[in-house]
Amino acid sequence: MGQDQTKQQIEKGLQLYQSNQTEKALHVWMKVLEKSADLVGRFRVLGCLVTAHSEMGRYKEMLKFAVVQIDTARELEDADLLLESYLNLARSNEKLCEFHKTVSYCKTCLGLPGTRAGAQLGGQVSLSMGNAFLGLSLFQKALESFEKALRYAHNNDDAMLECRVCCSLGSFYAQVKESMKIALQHGDRPLQALCLLCFADIHRSRGDLETAFPRYDSAMSIMTEIGNRLGQVQVLLGVAKCWIARKALDKALDAIEKAQDLAEEVGNKLSQLKLHCLSESIYRSKGLQRELRAHVVRFHECVEETELYCGLCGESIGERNSRLQALPCSHIFHLRCLQNNGTRSCPNCRRSSVKPGFV
């Protein structure tokens, strides 16, 4: 079957599928898969089969076709198609409740070199990752992923993606609400504080700041009572983002300053990095260059202190979507730097690296 005939048969299958003749559509697409030598056509028909089996609830078959689609994308050596196929693989595992695998494949999508499809599919990758984190009850990570997906939806006027994210946020809210009920029944104050923080973050992400502020206040009250200073930092970070949304930048800076003091007391460098980054954006928008430079300097000092940089090239890890490699000795480098280095021992400690793992 040639390229033109492959296209015709794929279109025929789509018409049958759209007219609710699903089994006939599947039969047509399977014939294309058996007879077509056109790799691009085979990739497209595999995408149709993945979508159809997803909508029919046949998730094991969905996974089977997603795996074949990845092999086809690799044969074509097309980064856009590889991204699309990895996203289908992530979704398949999400449907099968293989949440750790879903997160791993989503990270692979985000780690691929910049592609044309990245702008279109990035929101869907974040949504799938958020659903996986929600399945693992990692509420804060889930919400961060959902917020990224919403930004993609708004930036690209993608109403369907926005609708899907809102549905996931509904599930998120229900799970947090159930967790709150359990926390109240058992008098679990730390869990109550976490749930209140999640509720506040949900309302902030929806733009409901009037509801978010009281939730942050309640969360802060419990965090202070139980002595959770890192939790207080997270609350103040959320409060600062609320003030930024209201264009009250001075109030946002007050919240950031309090959070920064707490983060330094605790010695939590990751929180300090987030706070310096947020301060940078505020001072940049206010045009205050001296304060901006001070926070840029502190940001890079924190990066150095946490050793979040490649020991070979010296660049910060995470500034770009570069693949990383962890050696058995636990030192981490850019994969490309290790490949160019041409040695099997760790550049830092000189220990032999036998079976490195990917991050």
Side-chain angles (χ1 to χ4, degrees):
M1 187 182 292
Q3 190 176 30
D4 291 339
Q5 192 176 359
T6 298
K7 287 181 180 178
Q8 290 172 4
Q9 290 301 302
I10 292 173
E11 186 60 35
K12 178 182 176 181
L14 285 170
Q15 290 172 359
L16 289 167
Y17 189 73
Q18 289 164 2
S19 60
N20 294 322
Q21 299 180 64
T22 305
E23 292 301 330
K24 289 183 178 180
L26 292 176
H27 178 74
V28 170
W29 288 330
M30 288 302 297
K31 285 292 183 184
V32 173
L33 208 56
E34 290 171 12
K35 297 182 177 181
S36 178
D38 175 28
L39 283 177
V40 174
R42 287 173 62 82
F43 182 90
R44 292 302 172 204
V45 83
L46 283 163
C48 293
L49 288 165
V50 167
T51 301
H53 283 93
S54 173
E55 292 179 356
M56 295 166 69
R58 299 176 182 174
Y59 301 134
K60 288 185 178 178
E61 288 83 356
M62 177 188 180
L63 176 61
K64 180 181 71 175
F65 290 118
V67 170
V68 178
Q69 192 184 40
I70 280 189
D71 292 337
T72 307
R74 285 174 177 155
E75 283 187 66
L76 288 164
E77 297 182 346
D78 186 302
D80 287 319
L81 300 185
L82 194 60
L83 171 60
E84 184 180 334
S85 58
Y86 265 114
L87 174 57
N88 282 333
L89 190 57
R91 284 173 170 168
S92 303
N93 280 281
E94 177 196 330
K95 297 295 186 183
L96 291 167
C97 298
E98 295 282 358
F99 298 126
H100 287 291
K101 289 182 180 179
T102 303
V103 172
S104 177
Y105 289 126
C106 286
K107 286 182 177 178
T108 299
C109 290
L110 297 173
L112 290 172
T115 62
R116 296 187 304 278
Q120 298 173 330
L121 300 181
Q124 296 178 41
V125 172
S126 295
L127 174 59
S128 189
M129 185 178 282
N131 289 334
F133 281 135
L134 184 57
L136 295 168
S137 296
L138 298 172
F139 296 139
Q140 287 297 123
K141 289 185 176 181
L143 187 59
E144 287 174 9
S145 296
F146 291 146
E147 287 181 335
K148 286 179 184 177
L150 267 180
R151 284 197 293 273
Y152 271 104
H154 293 156
N155 292 339
N156 294 283
D157 295 322
D158 190 335
M160 183 58 71
L161 175 60
E162 184 176 359
C163 180
R164 291 175 60 202
V165 174
C166 288
C167 288
S168 292
L169 281 170
S171 299
F172 177 91
Y173 194 90
Q175 285 200 32
V176 176
K177 191 174 181 181
E178 188 62 30
S179 297
M180 187 63 169
K181 188 186 298 183
I182 294 169
L184 290 170
Q185 287 173 352
H186 292 83
D188 189 332
R189 300 292 278 168
L191 182 56
Q192 290 174 37
L194 176 60
C195 291
L196 285 166
L197 177 58
C198 288
F199 281 136
D201 285 340
I202 291 169
H203 289 294
R204 175 177 55 77
S205 69
R206 291 174 171 174
D208 183 7
L209 303 184
E210 293 298 328
T211 308
F213 275 118
R215 297 292 174 91
Y216 281 127
D217 288 341
S218 299
M220 178 59 87
S221 177
I222 297 176
M223 294 291 189
T224 304
E225 174 194 326
I226 63 178
N228 186 342
R229 287 180 292 175
L230 191 54
Q232 293 173 51
V233 171
Q234 291 176 317
V235 172
L236 288 165
L237 186 60
V239 170
K241 290 178 179 178
C242 284
W243 287 124
I244 290 172
R246 282 192 169 180
K247 310 297 183 185
L249 300 184
D250 289 334
K251 290 183 177 180
L253 287 170
D254 287 341
I256 290 171
E257 186 177 346
K258 292 175 184 175
Q260 195 69 261
D261 290 341
L262 285 165
E264 288 176 5
E265 285 177 19
V266 175
N268 189 283
K269 299 297 182 183
L270 182 58
S271 294
Q272 292 177 47
L273 283 169
K274 290 179 180 179
L275 292 162
H276 284 305
C277 190
L278 201 57
S279 297
E280 282 180 40
S281 65
I282 292 174
Y283 284 121
R284 185 173 285 108
S285 66
K286 290 168 74 75
L288 299 174
Q289 296 301 316
R290 184 170 61 85
E291 290 83 353
L292 171 61
R293 282 193 296 272
H295 281 282
V296 170
V297 168
R298 280 298 299 129
F299 177 87
H300 287 290
E301 286 175 354
C302 281
V303 169
E304 290 181 9
E305 289 166 10
T306 50
E307 297 187 354
L308 291 175
Y309 55 88
C310 175
L312 284 170
C313 69
E315 290 184 10
S316 296
I317 287 173
E319 286 189 355
R320 287 192 286 271
N321 285 332
S322 300
R323 202 168 188 186
L324 308 179
Q325 196 161 2
L327 302 183
C329 55
S330 299
H331 288 124
I332 299 175
F333 304 88
H334 289 123
L335 174 60
R336 65 174 187 276
C337 294
L338 281 175
Q339 289 173 336
N340 294 335
N341 189 47
T343 177
R344 289 181 60 80
S345 61
C346 173
N348 274 15
C349 64
R350 302 302 174 188
R351 284 178 58 185
S352 176
S353 55
V354 183
K355 288 185 178 179
F358 293 110
V359 179

